[in-house]
Structure formats: structure tokens, C-alpha cells
Amino acid sequence: LLLCELVGAAPLSPRELEVLKLLAQGKAYKEIATELVLSTHTVHTHSKKIYEKLRARGRREAVLRARRQGLLD
């Protein structure tokens, strides 16, 4: 866990954690939307918030940072 990842980082909401876990499984936004009964727009919005909070530029980086922080099993 890097100090720069902790400073000022907002915690992920329970829903964002659900989305993150499905992103880590390689699921597409449409698949996540169907599984969580959300619109694809909402999944996209959650993903953008996850990337912001983890200071990631995309899915791969977000998953890597989340694993380093112990957010994913």
C-alpha cells in the first residue's frame, strides 16, 4: 500500500465495490448492468468514480490498485 494512495482518497461505496469486483472479473458494462439491475450509464458513472477514487486511468490500473489495497479477494 502506497502512501500516495491513502492521502485524500475517498472510500468506495458498497455499490462501487460491487462494480469493481465485476470489472475485475472482466465483465463488460452491459453484463454488469444486467447483473446488478442498473443502466449501462450508471455502471459507467460508477466506474468513473472508482477510477477517480483509486487514482487510476482505467480498468486494469484500478483493479491492480484495488488488489494492492486489499479491496479485492
Side-chain angles (χ1 to χ4, degrees), residues 32-48:
I32 295 169
T34 299
E35 188 165 331
L36 298 180
V37 192
L38 300 170
S39 72
T40 53
H41 176 75
T42 300
V43 172
H44 180 70
T45 300
H46 282 310
S47 298
K48 286 188 343 187

Side-chain angles (χ1 to χ4, degrees), residues 12-71:
L12 297 180
S13 71
R15 182 60 104 183
E16 288 167 344
L17 281 171
E18 284 181 292
V19 171
L20 177 60
K21 287 176 183 178
L22 295 172
L23 288 170
Q25 292 173 18
K27 296 198 177 191
Y29 287 173
K30 187 173 181 178
E31 293 173 299
I32 295 169
T34 299
E35 188 165 331
L36 298 180
V37 192
L38 300 170
S39 72
T40 53
H41 176 75
T42 300
V43 172
H44 180 70
T45 300
H46 282 310
S47 298
K48 286 188 343 187
K49 289 291 187 186
I50 291 165
Y51 302 159
E52 286 175 24
K53 290 179 179 183
L54 294 177
R55 296 190 176 125
R57 285 169 272 176
R59 178 190 300 233
R60 286 180 55 184
E61 188 175 359
V63 169
L64 178 63
R65 287 177 181 260
R67 284 200 173 112
R68 275 197 220 144
Q69 293 179 33
L71 298 174

